[in-house]
Amino acid sequence: MLLLSPLPINLLALDFPGVTAFVSKLGWPKYRARQILRWVYQSRIRDIHQMTDLALQDREYLQSFVTIGRGSKPRVLQSGDGTRKFLLPLEDGGTIESVLIPEGRRVTLCVSTQVGCTLDCTFCLTGQMGLKRNLRAHEIVEQVLTAQDHLSPSGHITSLVFMGMGEPLANLDEVSDAIHRLTNTQWGLGFSPRRITISTAGLATRLHETAGLGVNLAISLNATTNEQRGRLMPRVNQLHPLPELLDACRTYPLSRGRRLTFEYVLLGGENDSATDAKRLAKLLKGIRCKINLIPFNEFPGNPFRRPDEAVVIQFQSLLRQSHFDVFIRKSRGRDILGACGQLGDLPL
Ligand code: SAH
């Protein structure tokens, strides 16, 4: 046959050079690669026969050894607040979770990058699953295609956040490949990189590798001393202690007009004191950034608790006194375990 890949060939699993090579092996002109990919990513077709700008006989030929490779139907959980969680079955029996969050005119999709997670942060449900496996680029992109399928024809995803299950920087090759497909305007999904955010628990040595992607970077700091971070986020802090992480943030090559985001999960009685707020302000002094506070989302079996709202507001105002832009993240989809830190193995 044409290629050494196993048959049928999954178009979605090929990157752009892969599709180009494939098209040229068929003896077709190069532009066909773009044409085919537009159908897959922009029109989201599931059947080769829908590629109506290819001659019928070419479609039939393709159909004989190529699939588009879209997965089976997701389970969709609908929250009372409009948030939807998609559970996408994988071929090997695993499940990918993504969460669609409409808010006014904005529609944010939170995507996963791993099944489970490499890390073991104590306040995160995904962290308790261990790592099942890394997602492939097309499995990351498919979360976007699936969510878009569930929107009305005039509805569009306006931002993408890599804040679902997994640690994106532990799977950066596939994440980068996915971002290329998501941002390509000729044949891909055409998202502006400014509308995409990657969030990391702090794989300090890989932070700088994300700069070339042009997307926003968020760092889940969550603690104000090395000792505290070591307790709350043991594995990542052992790999890259707090001072090393902050150094990597300080030297991150931010483009003009851009800033880092620091996320800070507020855990009642643990890291939400006035002393923590002041220490946090000191740690971040001089870094061009904004801060997102995330009141802890509870889940069964976890001992941490959500702080009272007054404590959250107080924490915010202390940071504001030090002239930081500080936002409190609304928890969305808590009733379907779709909020930050609630993605994982619980039966629903
Ligand atoms: N591994 C990456 C991507 C996951 S993003 C990272 O850590 O950044 C998930 C975000 O939700 C992180 O900021 C994390 O700190 C936060 N989070 C995890 N568990 C949470 C919980 N139970 N309640 C609120 N936020 C949580």
Side-chain angles (χ1 to χ4, degrees), residues 104-119:
R105 287 169 159 213
R106 292 182 52 183
V107 180
T108 302
L109 183 70
C110 178
V111 297
S112 296
T113 54
Q114 299 182 312
V115 184
C117 187
T118 337
L119 303 173

Side-chain angles (χ1 to χ4, degrees), residues 87-106:
L87 300 160
L88 274 170
L90 292 167
E91 275 175 355
D92 58 5
T95 307
I96 322 179
E97 303 191 9
S98 33
V99 183
L100 188 70
I101 311 154
E103 179 156 42
R105 287 169 159 213
R106 292 182 52 183

Side-chain angles (χ1 to χ4, degrees), residues 123-124 162-164 166-168 199-201 220 222 263 265 294-297 299 340-341:
F123 45 80
C124 179
F162 285 67
M163 297 186 184
E167 168 50 44
S199 177
T200 178
S220 302
N222 300 343
E263 293 161 289
V265 183
I294 318 176
F296 175 63
N297 295 309
F299 56 89
C340 300

Side-chain angles (χ1 to χ4, degrees), residues 262-274:
F262 286 96
E263 293 161 289
Y264 192 93
V265 183
L266 283 165
L267 305 163
E270 175 61 52
N271 65 354
D272 62 346
S273 68

Side-chain angles (χ1 to χ4, degrees), residues 21-311:
F22 163 78
V23 159
S24 82
K25 287 235 166 73
L26 291 178
W28 287 356
K30 250 193 177 163
Y31 67 81
R32 280 271 167 97
R34 258 176 288 144
Q35 205 174 356
I36 288 174
L37 286 176
R38 258 183 237 138
W39 284 112
V40 174
Y41 292 112
Q42 298 181 353
S43 307
R44 301 190 310 283
I45 62 166
R46 288 174 174 266
D47 184 341
I48 303 277
H49 270 286
Q50 291 170 281
M51 297 185 178
T52 45
D53 54 4
L54 296 188
L56 184 60
Q57 95 194 39
D58 288 345
R59 278 182 265 162
E60 272 166 5
Y61 179 50
L62 266 191
Q63 180 102 325
S64 65
F65 61 95
V66 167
T67 61
I68 294 184
R70 292 289 306 272
S72 42
K73 278 216 163 113
R75 214 178 128 203
V76 186
L77 303 174
Q78 172 86 44
S79 156
D81 67 15
T83 301
R84 275 181 281 180
K85 171 153 135 174
F86 298 97
L87 300 160
L88 274 170
L90 292 167
E91 275 175 355
D92 58 5
T95 307
I96 322 179
E97 303 191 9
S98 33
V99 183
L100 188 70
I101 311 154
E103 179 156 42
R105 287 169 159 213
R106 292 182 52 183
V107 180
T108 302
L109 183 70
C110 178
V111 297
S112 296
T113 54
Q114 299 182 312
V115 184
C117 187
T118 337
L119 303 173
D120 59 355
C121 305
T122 52
F123 45 80
C124 179
L125 179 58
T126 315
Q128 300 183 357
M129 289 172 67
L131 177 69
K132 303 272 159 61
R133 72 170 172 89
N134 281 331
L135 289 180
R136 300 275 320 278
H138 68 277
E139 294 167 327
I140 297 171
V141 176
E142 194 166 10
Q143 298 171 62
V144 183
L145 300 176
T146 301
Q148 187 64 52
D149 283 343
H150 283 77
L151 289 173
S152 67
S154 61
H156 288 289
I157 298 165
T158 53
S159 3
L160 289 174
V161 295
F162 285 67
M163 297 186 184
M165 280 202 278
E167 168 50 44
L169 299 201
N171 186 20
L172 194 51
D173 289 347
E174 298 293 324
V175 166
S176 303
D177 182 353
I179 287 174
H180 288 132
R181 301 179 199 201
L182 292 166
T183 53
N184 186 286
T185 48
Q186 290 186 352
W187 51 264
L189 283 149
F191 279 94
S192 159
R194 291 179 168 267
R195 298 250 160 235
I196 300 180
T197 302
I198 301 188
S199 177
T200 178
L203 294 185
T205 45
R206 309 212 72 178
L207 284 197
H208 288 222
E209 290 175 47
T210 65
L213 295 170
V215 300
N216 304 302
L217 181 64
I219 298 103
S220 302
L221 201 64
N222 300 343
T224 58
T225 67
N226 195 45
E227 179 278 324
Q228 187 186 47
R229 198 165 200 268
R231 259 185 302 115
L232 299 176
M233 307 173 76
R235 190 161 303 154
V236 71
N237 201 63
Q238 192 175 27
L239 289 168
H240 306 287
L242 184 60
E244 182 190 341
L245 174 60
L246 288 167
D247 270 354
C249 294
R250 280 183 198 288
T251 55
Y252 187 80
L254 274 172
S255 320
R256 273 187 63 192
R258 305 288 281 272
R259 53 187 179 169
L260 294 174
T261 298
F262 286 96
E263 293 161 289
Y264 192 93
V265 183
L266 283 165
L267 305 163
E270 175 61 52
N271 65 354
D272 62 346
S273 68
T275 313
D276 281 302
K278 287 177 198 151
R279 267 199 303 249
L280 183 58
K282 237 186 183 167
L283 288 179
L284 301 185
K285 198 167 172 217
I287 304 182
R288 225 156 70 211
C289 67
K290 65 172 172 167
I291 302 171
N292 282 346
L293 300 176
I294 318 176
F296 175 63
N297 295 309
E298 298 174 351
F299 56 89
N302 190 282
F304 291 113
R305 61 173 182 82
R306 196 178 174 86
D308 293 337
E309 202 175 328
V311 174

